[in-house]
């Protein structure tokens, strides 16, 4: 069966086992029952057919909190970086910028020894040579020194404005391209490039050029007051609660992690990639750009993340490439691509098996995300339900 726009259908339509699809739903429900997470919404789709879309848990930690619904809003956190990478490739396709150009060509304030060798593609693949701790140190120092900020440009995220202005002079720790060091600041830089090259504030570009054409009506920067009742809340002691449960994040327009969204919307975004950059008659990217974004762009480059070492980092433009890492699932093909975010969101697209899976949850152990929220268990049951390749 050919990949297509998402629609609800049967296991048979998706070439999957009906009994094993039921197991997907049961496994997901048990994650809440067994206390793996207090709240989650999952989507499992194959060849454009949604076979599981369910919510389990409650909207908040209070005993009388409402039962969770499928249109619940979760902080997408770093999954926002996928929207940023998509925006960059759209501008590349329009001939307005290049990936093999120095960042300083677009942001002249990005100064310092060796930084003319930092290209846009280094930011996309987290290989710029900038270390996140160094960014935090220089920002903290300038705050303590009371370095005056210029006025925030209209439409720019105030927190991003501060971190960008204070962080432009951050030194390189390694030469660009030598090692992968996951870097949120790099995507704030990319968001600023989107704004300067397009002449439109970053968040507005993404809303108008990505969310609106795809019909992602439940994905927001700065969640409006009328929709806040749908935001999933977490207990004060839960990981990341001290910054997740804040007005700053709910109002954020950060290119590195400011979006809120629903599981269904995120599945639509993934399906657009599975379809080669087009969805519901709207082409956002060419098949060539999708191919480049979803292949390993940094062969031979290693990385270390928390307690794990990856001799081969496997990263595309925005997307993490599975390779041999098995991020979020043991049965994904090597060509699967995914992204997760702090506090519990995860999306994966496997073009070999024509699957899109989304797992939005309230994370209970930020230091060991996949091993705690069991996104791998969910994804394994999805792939194990496939009968017809």
């Amino acid at each position: 069966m050919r990949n297509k726009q998402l629609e609800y259908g049967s296991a048979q339509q998706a070439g999957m086992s009906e009994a094993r699809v039921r197991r997907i739903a049961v496994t997901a429900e048990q994650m809440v029952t067994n206390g793996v997470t207090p709240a989650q919404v999952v989507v499992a789709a194959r060849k454009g057919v949604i076979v599981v879309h369910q919510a389990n848990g409650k909207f908040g930690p209070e005993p009388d909190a409402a039962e969770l619904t499928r249109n619940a809003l979760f902080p997408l956190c770093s999954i926002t970086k996928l929207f940023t990478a998509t925006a960059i490739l759209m501008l590349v396709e329009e001939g307005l910028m290049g990936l093999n150009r120095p960042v300083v060509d677009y942001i002249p304030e990005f100064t310092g020894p060796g930084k003319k060798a930092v290209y846009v593609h280094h930011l996309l693949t987290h290989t710029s040579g900038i270390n996140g701790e160094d960014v935090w140190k220089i920002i903290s120092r300038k705050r303590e020194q009371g370095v005056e900020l210029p006025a925030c440009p209209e439409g720019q995220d105030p927190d991003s404005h501060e971190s960008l202005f204070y962080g432009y002079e951050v030194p390189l720790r390694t030469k660009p391209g030598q090692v992968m060091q996951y870097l949120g600041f790099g995507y704030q830089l990319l968001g600023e490039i989107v704004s300067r090259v397009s002449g439109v504030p970053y968040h507005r570009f993404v809303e108008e050029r990505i969310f609106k054409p795809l019909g992602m009506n439940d994905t927001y920067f700065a969640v409006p007051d009328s929709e806040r009742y749908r935001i999933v809340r977490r207990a004060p002691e839960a990981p990341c609660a001290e910054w997740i449960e804040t007005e700053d994040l709910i109002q954020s327009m950060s290119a590195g992690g400011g979006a809120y969204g629903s599981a269904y919307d995120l599945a639509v975004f993934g399906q657009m990639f599975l379809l080669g950059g087009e969805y519901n008659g709207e082409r956002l990217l060419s098949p060539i750009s999708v191919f480049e974004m979803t292949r390993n762009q940094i062969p031979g480059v290693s990385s270390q993340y928390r307690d794990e070492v990856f001799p081969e980092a496997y990263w595309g433009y925005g997307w993490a490439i599975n390779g041999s890492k098995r991020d979020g699932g043991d049965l994904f093909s090597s060509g699967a691509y995914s992204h997760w975010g702090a506090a519990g969101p995860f999306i994966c697209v496997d073009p070999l098996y024509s699957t899109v899976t989304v797992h939005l949850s309230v994370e209970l152990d930020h230091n060991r995300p996949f091993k705690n929220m069991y996104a791998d268990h969910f994804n394994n049951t999805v792939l194990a339900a496939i009968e017809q390749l």
Side-chain angles (χ1 to χ4, degrees):
M1 183 183 294
R2 181 175 169 271
N3 293 325
K4 56 184 178 180
Q5 277 70 252
L6 291 178
E7 61 181 23
Y8 294 92
S10 67
Q12 184 179 16
Q13 288 174 295
M16 302 172 79
S17 160
E18 186 174 341
R20 290 188 170 213
V21 165
R22 286 197 298 269
R23 187 167 65 187
I24 298 169
V26 170
T27 299
E29 183 178 7
Q30 286 175 340
M31 290 184 193
V32 173
T33 303
N34 295 339
V36 172
T37 179
Q40 70 177 13
V41 180
V42 297
V43 174
R46 183 169 190 246
K47 296 184 177 180
V49 179
I50 297 175
V51 294
V52 175
H53 181 196
Q54 70 184 42
N56 299 104
K58 295 188 174 184
F59 269 102
E62 310 85 10
D64 61 347
E67 293 293 321
L68 200 66
T69 56
R70 296 193 306 185
N71 67 344
L73 300 178
F74 286 77
L76 300 182
C77 298
S78 284
I79 289 177
T80 305
K81 293 178 175 67
L82 296 177
F83 307 145
T84 305
T86 299
I88 288 288
L89 267 293
M90 292 171 80
L91 293 172
V92 168
E93 289 193 348
E94 292 168 16
L96 298 176
M97 61 173 293
L99 300 182
N100 204 34
R101 299 294 178 88
V103 173
V104 71
D105 281 6
Y106 306 107
I107 305 178
E109 304 95 315
F110 185 71
T111 58
K115 288 169 73 174
K116 288 184 179 179
V118 179
Y119 299 145
V120 174
H121 68 82
H122 290 129
L123 299 181
L124 287 165
T125 56
H126 301 284
T127 56
S128 65
I130 299 171
N131 183 276
E133 291 182 4
D134 296 338
V135 176
W136 176 246
K137 286 177 182 177
I138 195 170
I139 291 173
S140 298
R141 184 174 72 246
K142 290 189 176 185
R143 282 175 180 163
E144 292 171 0
Q145 294 172 345
V147 175
E148 185 176 356
L149 280 169
C152 183
E154 184 180 357
Q156 188 180 56
D157 180 64
D159 288 339
S160 296
H161 171 64
E162 180 191 51
S163 60
L164 284 167
F165 181 76
Y166 286 160
Y168 281 140
E169 297 177 8
V170 63
L172 301 185
R173 186 175 289 197
T174 61
K175 289 184 178 180
Q178 281 190 341
V179 65
M180 179 188 165
Q181 300 178 84
Y182 190 84
L183 184 68
F185 181 71
Y187 274 74
Q188 289 181 309
L189 289 168
L190 290 169
E192 181 66 6
I193 291 172
V194 170
S195 295
R196 295 192 185 194
V197 170
S198 70
V200 177
Y202 161 80
H203 73 282
R204 195 172 303 154
F205 183 96
V206 172
E207 288 167 349
E208 292 297 319
R209 298 287 303 276
I210 299 176
F211 298 166
K212 189 174 179 179
L214 292 179
M216 295 172 64
N217 300 320
D218 287 327
T219 308
Y220 304 95
F221 290 103
V223 183
D225 291 344
S226 61
E227 304 302 324
R228 292 192 179 192
Y229 72 96
R230 291 196 281 145
I231 295 177
V232 177
R233 304 180 306 280
R234 58 201 69 216
E237 66 274 13
C240 307
E242 70 277 6
W243 58 270
I244 290 284
E245 302 285 324
T246 62
E247 186 68 17
D248 283 348
L249 187 65
I250 295 173
Q251 290 285 349
S252 178
M253 296 175 282
S254 168
Y260 276 72
S262 69
Y264 180 85
D265 272 14
L266 202 53
V268 167
F269 181 78
Q271 186 70 8
M272 180 268 289
F273 272 84
L274 191 60
L275 293 174
E278 183 179 17
Y279 188 86
N280 199 26
E282 297 281 353
R283 177 162 292 285
L284 274 66
L285 294 167
S286 71
I288 300 295
S289 291
V290 169
F291 176 78
E292 292 299 317
M293 290 180 72
T294 58
R295 72 176 179 90
N296 184 18
Q297 291 286 345
I298 51 173
V301 175
S302 65
S303 69
Q304 181 172 346
Y305 194 72
R306 294 182 177 153
D307 62 344
E308 295 185 87
V309 175
F310 302 97
E312 185 84 19
Y314 289 107
W315 213 271
Y317 294 145
W319 291 96
I321 312 305
N322 190 36
S324 60
K325 291 185 298 185
R326 295 186 175 87
D327 274 355
D330 304 302
L331 302 179
F332 285 130
S333 73
S334 61
Y337 44 94
S338 64
H339 212 293
W340 73 280
F346 181 77
I347 178 175
C348 187
V349 178
D350 194 325
L352 180 61
Y353 302 132
S354 299
T355 57
V356 175
T357 55
V358 176
H359 185 264
L360 302 185
S361 69
V362 172
E363 188 175 85
L364 295 182
D365 184 350
H366 186 53
N367 290 318
R368 299 177 70 80
F370 296 128
K371 299 167 185 63
N372 178 72
M373 69 181 184
Y374 291 89
D376 56 345
H377 286 195
F378 166 70
N379 288 311
N380 289 343
T381 61
V382 175
L383 294 165
I386 296 173
E387 288 190 314
Q388 300 172 13
L389 295 179

